[in-house]
Amino acid sequence: MTTTTNRPDRNLALELVRVTEAGALAAAKLAGKGDKIAADQAAVDAMRGVLDGVAMNGVVVIGEGEKDEAPMLFNGESVGDGTGPEMEIAVDPLEGTTLCAKGMPNALSVIALSPKGTMFDPGPCVYMEKLAAGADVADLLDLDRPIGETLKLMAQRRACAVNDLTVIVLDRPRHEDGIKEIRDAGARVRLISDGDVSAVLVAVSPDRPIDLLWGVGGTPEGVLAAAAVKCIGGGLIGRLWPRDEGEKQAAIDAGYDLDRQLSQDDLVTGDDCFFSATGVTDGDLLQGVRSQGAGSWTTESLVMRSRSGTVRRIMAQHNRAKLRELNPEMYG
């Protein structure tokens, strides 16, 4: 890749897996130790160090917050070595900080890239309503239709009973009425404490035990998940969900249409995005970091590119001694 090209190189996908592997390895050392802030910071520091060497001219559009709130990977920060294509980055160094701190399943290290000007700016809206499901029922997703009716349509499409379907939902008080509606329709509910991106990926993947994601989750996580859905297939729709009248008015003043249902193609408009996720703790989607005695760690990652539709599942073995020689602060 040279400084004159503006098109992302296909090797960029394999560079990204090194970034999420670093974040996962760093966070996993603190898994189960009860300190989510330290685990998140370790993942941030590790990812930042590897991102510096990636051949791109990138800017973080969805990161750890504003510059004054985050020491690294803040919104607006430049990353990469300054060569290659101009890219926008959405990053969650440790999705599921609480999951990691408690040693619970489904914590991930996640990053997505897309060409400049193609990632949705959440503006003042921190949350959005979401539905996500596999490609065979993606056209049935509609936030204006009662969730029970959508489940019946999905069951008809799949020639199964509604009670064969499982919906994954964040365990929050705001979802109590919807959970009751799902159960009244006959479907099962899997409640999760955290892990919005992981939940979307499990819902759209054909070989996983979840049929639908429903509920209100983070807007930044929605953009990250949209990049993954564009790569792996399936459908995701979201609608901005202001938390109060002040946030609602701020969104209206900024020109946001709060009634609009946004698809994955609205959240990430580019046709050449990249996505990488590495497991920190074991989960439905990926195996977490595992120690192979004193000599090595293993990681499992998903690395995807929308333009080619290639989805790679990468198992890697990492030599502890050599990594510590390269970076004793990160891997010591």
Side-chain angles (χ1 to χ4, degrees):
M1 184 180 292
T2 70
T3 57
T4 58
T5 182
N6 232 1
R7 171 177 242 166
D9 189 274
R10 61 181 178 272
N11 292 330
L12 200 54
L14 297 182
E15 288 291 309
L16 289 186
V17 75
R18 294 175 53 245
V19 176
T20 55
E21 283 174 349
L25 286 167
K29 292 190 299 179
L30 294 165
K33 295 190 175 181
D35 192 340
K36 66 180 184 179
I37 295 174
D40 189 42
Q41 188 63 61
V44 169
D45 293 345
M47 291 182 78
R48 184 67 179 83
V50 180
L51 271 171
D52 278 340
V54 177
M56 65 177 176
N57 184 3
V59 61
V60 177
V61 296
I62 293 177
E64 291 286 281
E66 300 306 315
K67 183 175 182 178
D68 292 340
E69 302 169 0
M72 293 182 180
L73 294 174
F74 54 83
N75 297 343
E77 181 181 0
S78 296
V79 295
D81 68 1
T83 69
E86 294 184 312
M87 303 294 287
E88 292 183 340
I89 294 99
V91 60
D92 196 343
L94 181 56
E95 197 221 8
T97 54
T98 299
L99 299 177
C100 180
K102 293 182 177 180
M104 296 172 66
N106 293 315
L108 300 176
S109 184
V110 184
I111 193 170
L113 271 66
S114 191
K116 182 179 179 180
T118 59
M119 280 190 173
F120 181 77
D121 180 359
C125 292
V126 177
Y127 289 101
M128 64 168 25
E129 302 174 75
K130 299 174 195 172
L131 281 172
D136 61 325
V137 294
D139 62 308
L140 301 177
L141 302 180
D142 186 348
L143 290 166
D144 289 327
R145 183 193 303 121
I147 184 65
E149 292 183 19
T150 295
L151 287 167
K152 292 175 184 177
L153 292 172
M154 288 176 61
Q156 291 173 8
R157 176 73 58 83
R158 291 181 171 173
C160 68
V162 175
N163 60 19
D164 292 324
L165 302 177
T166 301
V167 185
I168 194 166
V169 183
L170 281 169
D171 189 3
R172 301 289 188 271
R174 61 179 177 264
H175 293 148
E176 289 177 359
D177 290 343
I179 289 169
K180 182 179 184 303
E181 188 176 350
I182 291 166
R183 288 172 172 160
D184 286 347
R188 296 183 293 265
V189 174
R190 179 184 292 190
L191 294 173
I192 56 171
S193 62
D194 299 278
D196 222 352
V197 177
S198 173
V200 169
L201 280 165
V202 172
V204 302
S205 299
D207 59 343
R208 301 293 153 175
I210 299 298
D211 300 285
L212 180 70
L213 169 132
W214 172 85
V216 175
T219 306
E221 288 83 356
V223 178
L224 266 164
V229 173
K230 286 176 71 76
C231 297
I232 201 172
L236 167 69
I237 59 171
R239 181 163 56 198
L240 297 176
W241 191 81
R243 292 171 292 178
D244 52 42
E245 286 300 316
E247 193 169 284
K248 179 178 180 180
Q249 191 58 52
I252 292 171
D253 292 344
Y256 288 91
D257 182 352
L258 299 180
D259 295 321
R260 183 184 178 193
Q261 296 192 42
L262 303 161
S263 73
Q264 66 266 19
D265 295 319
D266 297 312
L267 295 170
V268 179
T269 59
D271 62 357
D272 197 6
C273 62
F274 299 81
F275 177 90
S276 178
T278 300
V280 177
T281 57
D282 286 351
D284 291 321
L285 183 68
L286 290 167
Q287 177 180 293
V289 175
R290 295 185 180 182
S291 173
Q292 304 296 310
S296 66
W297 295 290
T298 61
T299 56
E300 184 180 20
S301 305
L302 274 179
V303 190
M304 305 182 276
R305 186 185 189 184
S306 65
R307 185 164 175 255
S308 64
T310 302
V311 178
R312 292 181 172 91
R313 189 175 289 268
I314 297 176
M315 297 291 299
Q317 184 168 310
H318 307 268
N319 186 294
R320 287 188 176 190
K322 290 186 176 181
L323 286 176
R324 284 169 178 156
E325 286 179 13
L326 291 171
N327 194 326
E329 184 176 343
M330 186 185 303
Y331 299 109

PDB file of all heavy atoms in Angstrom, residues 252-277:
ATOM      1  N   ILE A 252     -33.528  16.793  17.624  1.00  0.00           N
ATOM      2  CA  ILE A 252     -34.364  17.471  16.637  1.00  0.00           C
ATOM      3  C   ILE A 252     -33.668  18.724  16.126  1.00  0.00           C
ATOM      4  O   ILE A 252     -33.631  18.987  14.908  1.00  0.00           O
ATOM      5  CB  ILE A 252     -35.740  17.812  17.245  1.00  0.00           C
ATOM      6  CG1 ILE A 252     -36.535  16.529  17.525  1.00  0.00           C
ATOM      7  CG2 ILE A 252     -36.529  18.736  16.314  1.00  0.00           C
ATOM      8  CD1 ILE A 252     -37.804  16.755  18.319  1.00  0.00           C
ATOM      9  N   ASP A 253     -33.074  19.491  17.045  1.00  0.00           N
ATOM     10  CA  ASP A 253     -32.362  20.709  16.657  1.00  0.00           C
ATOM     11  C   ASP A 253     -31.172  20.395  15.751  1.00  0.00           C
ATOM     12  O   ASP A 253     -30.798  21.210  14.900  1.00  0.00           O
ATOM     13  CB  ASP A 253     -31.876  21.465  17.894  1.00  0.00           C
ATOM     14  CG  ASP A 253     -33.025  22.047  18.707  1.00  0.00           C
ATOM     15  OD1 ASP A 253     -34.141  22.139  18.173  1.00  0.00           O
ATOM     16  OD2 ASP A 253     -32.787  22.398  19.886  1.00  0.00           O
ATOM     17  N   ALA A 254     -30.572  19.213  15.936  1.00  0.00           N
ATOM     18  CA  ALA A 254     -29.426  18.813  15.117  1.00  0.00           C
ATOM     19  C   ALA A 254     -29.844  18.204  13.783  1.00  0.00           C
ATOM     20  O   ALA A 254     -28.982  17.838  12.981  1.00  0.00           O
ATOM     21  CB  ALA A 254     -28.561  17.827  15.892  1.00  0.00           C
ATOM     22  N   GLY A 255     -31.156  18.083  13.554  1.00  0.00           N
ATOM     23  CA  GLY A 255     -31.642  17.594  12.269  1.00  0.00           C
ATOM     24  C   GLY A 255     -31.909  16.108  12.190  1.00  0.00           C
ATOM     25  O   GLY A 255     -32.128  15.572  11.092  1.00  0.00           O
ATOM     26  N   TYR A 256     -31.917  15.401  13.319  1.00  0.00           N
ATOM     27  CA  TYR A 256     -32.168  13.960  13.300  1.00  0.00           C
ATOM     28  C   TYR A 256     -33.666  13.681  13.192  1.00  0.00           C
ATOM     29  O   TYR A 256     -34.478  14.343  13.842  1.00  0.00           O
ATOM     30  CB  TYR A 256     -31.611  13.295  14.555  1.00  0.00           C
ATOM     31  CG  TYR A 256     -30.105  13.226  14.579  1.00  0.00           C
ATOM     32  CD1 TYR A 256     -29.355  14.257  15.150  1.00  0.00           C
ATOM     33  CD2 TYR A 256     -29.422  12.149  14.037  1.00  0.00           C
ATOM     34  CE1 TYR A 256     -27.973  14.210  15.181  1.00  0.00           C
ATOM     35  CE2 TYR A 256     -28.032  12.090  14.061  1.00  0.00           C
ATOM     36  CZ  TYR A 256     -27.323  13.125  14.630  1.00  0.00           C
ATOM     37  OH  TYR A 256     -25.944  13.072  14.657  1.00  0.00           O
ATOM     38  N   ASP A 257     -34.021  12.685  12.382  1.00  0.00           N
ATOM     39  CA  ASP A 257     -35.400  12.225  12.243  1.00  0.00           C
ATOM     40  C   ASP A 257     -35.607  11.088  13.237  1.00  0.00           C
ATOM     41  O   ASP A 257     -35.135   9.969  13.021  1.00  0.00           O
ATOM     42  CB  ASP A 257     -35.651  11.740  10.817  1.00  0.00           C
ATOM     43  CG  ASP A 257     -37.090  11.300  10.583  1.00  0.00           C
ATOM     44  OD1 ASP A 257     -37.868  11.221  11.571  1.00  0.00           O
ATOM     45  OD2 ASP A 257     -37.444  10.999   9.421  1.00  0.00           O
ATOM     46  N   LEU A 258     -36.311  11.355  14.314  1.00  0.00           N
ATOM     47  CA  LEU A 258     -36.459  10.373  15.379  1.00  0.00           C
ATOM     48  C   LEU A 258     -37.471   9.285  15.052  1.00  0.00           C
ATOM     49  O   LEU A 258     -37.593   8.307  15.800  1.00  0.00           O
ATOM     50  CB  LEU A 258     -36.848  11.076  16.684  1.00  0.00           C
ATOM     51  CG  LEU A 258     -35.829  12.089  17.203  1.00  0.00           C
ATOM     52  CD1 LEU A 258     -36.322  12.715  18.505  1.00  0.00           C
ATOM     53  CD2 LEU A 258     -34.463  11.448  17.404  1.00  0.00           C
ATOM     54  N   ASP A 259     -38.204   9.429  13.956  1.00  0.00           N
ATOM     55  CA  ASP A 259     -39.149   8.398  13.536  1.00  0.00           C
ATOM     56  C   ASP A 259     -38.539   7.431  12.524  1.00  0.00           C
ATOM     57  O   ASP A 259     -39.111   6.378  12.248  1.00  0.00           O
ATOM     58  CB  ASP A 259     -40.394   9.031  12.909  1.00  0.00           C
ATOM     59  CG  ASP A 259     -41.194   9.847  13.914  1.00  0.00           C
ATOM     60  OD1 ASP A 259     -41.296   9.395  15.074  1.00  0.00           O
ATOM     61  OD2 ASP A 259     -41.690  10.923  13.559  1.00  0.00           O
ATOM     62  N   ARG A 260     -37.387   7.783  11.983  1.00  0.00           N
ATOM     63  CA  ARG A 260     -36.791   6.990  10.908  1.00  0.00           C
ATOM     64  C   ARG A 260     -36.202   5.679  11.427  1.00  0.00           C
ATOM     65  O   ARG A 260     -35.510   5.658  12.439  1.00  0.00           O
ATOM     66  CB  ARG A 260     -35.704   7.793  10.217  1.00  0.00           C
ATOM     67  CG  ARG A 260     -35.070   7.086   9.026  1.00  0.00           C
ATOM     68  CD  ARG A 260     -33.937   7.905   8.441  1.00  0.00           C
ATOM     69  NE  ARG A 260     -33.302   7.211   7.335  1.00  0.00           N
ATOM     70  CZ  ARG A 260     -32.142   7.568   6.804  1.00  0.00           C
ATOM     71  NH1 ARG A 260     -31.502   8.642   7.268  1.00  0.00           N
ATOM     72  NH2 ARG A 260     -31.621   6.878   5.807  1.00  0.00           N
ATOM     73  N   GLN A 261     -36.477   4.598  10.708  1.00  0.00           N
ATOM     74  CA  GLN A 261     -35.859   3.316  10.993  1.00  0.00           C
ATOM     75  C   GLN A 261     -34.612   3.187  10.124  1.00  0.00           C
ATOM     76  O   GLN A 261     -34.687   3.230   8.898  1.00  0.00           O
ATOM     77  CB  GLN A 261     -36.834   2.167  10.725  1.00  0.00           C
ATOM     78  CG  GLN A 261     -38.054   2.195  11.633  1.00  0.00           C
ATOM     79  CD  GLN A 261     -38.866   0.922  11.581  1.00  0.00           C
ATOM     80  OE1 GLN A 261     -38.320  -0.179  11.556  1.00  0.00           O
ATOM     81  NE2 GLN A 261     -40.189   1.050  11.557  1.00  0.00           N
ATOM     82  N   LEU A 262     -33.476   3.020  10.770  1.00  0.00           N
ATOM     83  CA  LEU A 262     -32.183   2.993  10.093  1.00  0.00           C
ATOM     84  C   LEU A 262     -31.722   1.553   9.919  1.00  0.00           C
ATOM     85  O   LEU A 262     -31.676   0.780  10.879  1.00  0.00           O
ATOM     86  CB  LEU A 262     -31.145   3.757  10.918  1.00  0.00           C
ATOM     87  CG  LEU A 262     -31.479   5.219  11.238  1.00  0.00           C
ATOM     88  CD1 LEU A 262     -30.651   5.714  12.412  1.00  0.00           C
ATOM     89  CD2 LEU A 262     -31.223   6.082  10.008  1.00  0.00           C
ATOM     90  N   SER A 263     -31.372   1.186   8.691  1.00  0.00           N
ATOM     91  CA  SER A 263     -30.841  -0.157   8.443  1.00  0.00           C
ATOM     92  C   SER A 263     -29.334  -0.152   8.619  1.00  0.00           C
ATOM     93  O   SER A 263     -28.710   0.895   8.829  1.00  0.00           O
ATOM     94  CB  SER A 263     -31.190  -0.608   7.021  1.00  0.00           C
ATOM     95  OG  SER A 263     -30.394   0.110   6.075  1.00  0.00           O
ATOM     96  N   GLN A 264     -28.727  -1.323   8.498  1.00  0.00           N
ATOM     97  CA  GLN A 264     -27.270  -1.401   8.568  1.00  0.00           C
ATOM     98  C   GLN A 264     -26.620  -0.568   7.463  1.00  0.00           C
ATOM     99  O   GLN A 264     -25.513  -0.034   7.639  1.00  0.00           O
ATOM    100  CB  GLN A 264     -26.783  -2.850   8.484  1.00  0.00           C
ATOM    101  CG  GLN A 264     -27.024  -3.558   7.168  1.00  0.00           C
ATOM    102  CD  GLN A 264     -28.323  -4.352   7.168  1.00  0.00           C
ATOM    103  OE1 GLN A 264     -29.210  -4.112   7.997  1.00  0.00           O
ATOM    104  NE2 GLN A 264     -28.420  -5.312   6.267  1.00  0.00           N
ATOM    105  N   ASP A 265     -27.316  -0.412   6.328  1.00  0.00           N
ATOM    106  CA  ASP A 265     -26.767   0.377   5.223  1.00  0.00           C
ATOM    107  C   ASP A 265     -26.886   1.878   5.469  1.00  0.00           C
ATOM    108  O   ASP A 265     -26.199   2.662   4.813  1.00  0.00           O
ATOM    109  CB  ASP A 265     -27.460   0.004   3.908  1.00  0.00           C
ATOM    110  CG  ASP A 265     -27.172  -1.430   3.501  1.00  0.00           C
ATOM    111  OD1 ASP A 265     -26.016  -1.863   3.658  1.00  0.00           O
ATOM    112  OD2 ASP A 265     -28.098  -2.118   3.044  1.00  0.00           O
ATOM    113  N   ASP A 266     -27.750   2.269   6.393  1.00  0.00           N
ATOM    114  CA  ASP A 266     -27.819   3.677   6.808  1.00  0.00           C
ATOM    115  C   ASP A 266     -26.783   3.978   7.884  1.00  0.00           C
ATOM    116  O   ASP A 266     -26.228   5.076   7.928  1.00  0.00           O
ATOM    117  CB  ASP A 266     -29.215   4.005   7.355  1.00  0.00           C
ATOM    118  CG  ASP A 266     -30.316   3.845   6.321  1.00  0.00           C
ATOM    119  OD1 ASP A 266     -30.147   4.365   5.208  1.00  0.00           O
ATOM    120  OD2 ASP A 266     -31.324   3.187   6.642  1.00  0.00           O
ATOM    121  N   LEU A 267     -26.535   3.001   8.731  1.00  0.00           N
ATOM    122  CA  LEU A 267     -25.587   3.199   9.825  1.00  0.00           C
ATOM    123  C   LEU A 267     -24.138   3.145   9.343  1.00  0.00           C
ATOM    124  O   LEU A 267     -23.269   3.816   9.903  1.00  0.00           O
ATOM    125  CB  LEU A 267     -25.822   2.153  10.914  1.00  0.00           C
ATOM    126  CG  LEU A 267     -27.180   2.261  11.637  1.00  0.00           C
ATOM    127  CD1 LEU A 267     -27.414   1.044  12.513  1.00  0.00           C
ATOM    128  CD2 LEU A 267     -27.254   3.539  12.453  1.00  0.00           C
ATOM    129  N   VAL A 268     -23.897   2.340   8.317  1.00  0.00           N
ATOM    130  CA  VAL A 268     -22.583   2.299   7.659  1.00  0.00           C
ATOM    131  C   VAL A 268     -22.857   2.288   6.157  1.00  0.00           C
ATOM    132  O   VAL A 268     -23.248   1.272   5.601  1.00  0.00           O
ATOM    133  CB  VAL A 268     -21.761   1.060   8.065  1.00  0.00           C
ATOM    134  CG1 VAL A 268     -20.411   1.059   7.343  1.00  0.00           C
ATOM    135  CG2 VAL A 268     -21.549   1.013   9.560  1.00  0.00           C
ATOM    136  N   THR A 269     -22.680   3.443   5.528  1.00  0.00           N
ATOM    137  CA  THR A 269     -23.082   3.568   4.117  1.00  0.00           C
ATOM    138  C   THR A 269     -22.032   3.050   3.150  1.00  0.00           C
ATOM    139  O   THR A 269     -22.334   2.795   1.989  1.00  0.00           O
ATOM    140  CB  THR A 269     -23.386   5.042   3.774  1.00  0.00           C
ATOM    141  OG1 THR A 269     -22.218   5.837   4.022  1.00  0.00           O
ATOM    142  CG2 THR A 269     -24.535   5.557   4.618  1.00  0.00           C
ATOM    143  N   GLY A 270     -20.811   2.888   3.575  1.00  0.00           N
ATOM    144  CA  GLY A 270     -19.759   2.416   2.679  1.00  0.00           C
ATOM    145  C   GLY A 270     -19.960   0.966   2.282  1.00  0.00           C
ATOM    146  O   GLY A 270     -20.537   0.168   3.022  1.00  0.00           O
ATOM    147  N   ASP A 271     -19.476   0.629   1.073  1.00  0.00           N
ATOM    148  CA  ASP A 271     -19.598  -0.749   0.595  1.00  0.00           C
ATOM    149  C   ASP A 271     -18.318  -1.542   0.815  1.00  0.00           C
ATOM    150  O   ASP A 271     -18.168  -2.647   0.305  1.00  0.00           O
ATOM    151  CB  ASP A 271     -19.983  -0.769  -0.894  1.00  0.00           C
ATOM    152  CG  ASP A 271     -18.918  -0.113  -1.778  1.00  0.00           C
ATOM    153  OD1 ASP A 271     -17.920   0.408  -1.235  1.00  0.00           O
ATOM    154  OD2 ASP A 271     -19.101  -0.122  -3.010  1.00  0.00           O
ATOM    155  N   ASP A 272     -17.384  -1.004   1.588  1.00  0.00           N
ATOM    156  CA  ASP A 272     -16.123  -1.704   1.825  1.00  0.00           C
ATOM    157  C   ASP A 272     -15.682  -1.487   3.264  1.00  0.00           C
ATOM    158  O   ASP A 272     -14.678  -0.833   3.539  1.00  0.00           O
ATOM    159  CB  ASP A 272     -15.045  -1.209   0.862  1.00  0.00           C
ATOM    160  CG  ASP A 272     -13.862  -2.174   0.775  1.00  0.00           C
ATOM    161  OD1 ASP A 272     -13.954  -3.264   1.385  1.00  0.00           O
ATOM    162  OD2 ASP A 272     -12.870  -1.846   0.113  1.00  0.00           O
ATOM    163  N   CYS A 273     -16.453  -2.057   4.189  1.00  0.00           N
ATOM    164  CA  CYS A 273     -16.104  -1.924   5.598  1.00  0.00           C
ATOM    165  C   CYS A 273     -15.467  -3.211   6.103  1.00  0.00           C
ATOM    166  O   CYS A 273     -15.590  -4.276   5.491  1.00  0.00           O
ATOM    167  CB  CYS A 273     -17.330  -1.554   6.438  1.00  0.00           C
ATOM    168  SG  CYS A 273     -18.667  -2.760   6.439  1.00  0.00           S
ATOM    169  N   PHE A 274     -14.780  -3.084   7.215  1.00  0.00           N
ATOM    170  CA  PHE A 274     -14.073  -4.193   7.837  1.00  0.00           C
ATOM    171  C   PHE A 274     -14.527  -4.309   9.290  1.00  0.00           C
ATOM    172  O   PHE A 274     -14.856  -3.310   9.933  1.00  0.00           O
ATOM    173  CB  PHE A 274     -12.564  -3.946   7.829  1.00  0.00           C
ATOM    174  CG  PHE A 274     -11.955  -3.810   6.464  1.00  0.00           C
ATOM    175  CD1 PHE A 274     -12.032  -2.605   5.780  1.00  0.00           C
ATOM    176  CD2 PHE A 274     -11.288  -4.867   5.881  1.00  0.00           C
ATOM    177  CE1 PHE A 274     -11.456  -2.454   4.524  1.00  0.00           C
ATOM    178  CE2 PHE A 274     -10.703  -4.736   4.629  1.00  0.00           C
ATOM    179  CZ  PHE A 274     -10.790  -3.534   3.947  1.00  0.00           C
ATOM    180  N   PHE A 275     -14.487  -5.526   9.807  1.00  0.00           N
ATOM    181  CA  PHE A 275     -14.893  -5.763  11.190  1.00  0.00           C
ATOM    182  C   PHE A 275     -14.029  -6.867  11.770  1.00  0.00           C
ATOM    183  O   PHE A 275     -13.759  -7.874  11.108  1.00  0.00           O
ATOM    184  CB  PHE A 275     -16.366  -6.182  11.259  1.00  0.00           C
ATOM    185  CG  PHE A 275     -16.852  -6.507  12.649  1.00  0.00           C
ATOM    186  CD1 PHE A 275     -17.399  -5.526  13.458  1.00  0.00           C
ATOM    187  CD2 PHE A 275     -16.760  -7.802  13.139  1.00  0.00           C
ATOM    188  CE1 PHE A 275     -17.838  -5.815  14.749  1.00  0.00           C
ATOM    189  CE2 PHE A 275     -17.202  -8.106  14.425  1.00  0.00           C
ATOM    190  CZ  PHE A 275     -17.745  -7.111  15.228  1.00  0.00           C
ATOM    191  N   SER A 276     -13.595  -6.673  13.011  1.00  0.00           N
ATOM    192  CA  SER A 276     -12.854  -7.719  13.703  1.00  0.00           C
ATOM    193  C   SER A 276     -13.294  -7.769  15.160  1.00  0.00           C
ATOM    194  O   SER A 276     -13.498  -6.731  15.791  1.00  0.00           O
ATOM    195  CB  SER A 276     -11.348  -7.463  13.629  1.00  0.00           C
ATOM    196  OG  SER A 276     -10.623  -8.469  14.341  1.00  0.00           O
ATOM    197  N   ALA A 277     -13.453  -8.974  15.679  1.00  0.00           N
ATOM    198  CA  ALA A 277     -13.775  -9.179  17.093  1.00  0.00           C
ATOM    199  C   ALA A 277     -12.973 -10.362  17.606  1.00  0.00           C
ATOM    200  O   ALA A 277     -12.863 -11.389  16.925  1.00  0.00           O
ATOM    201  CB  ALA A 277     -15.267  -9.437  17.279  1.00  0.00           C
TER     202      ALA A 277
END
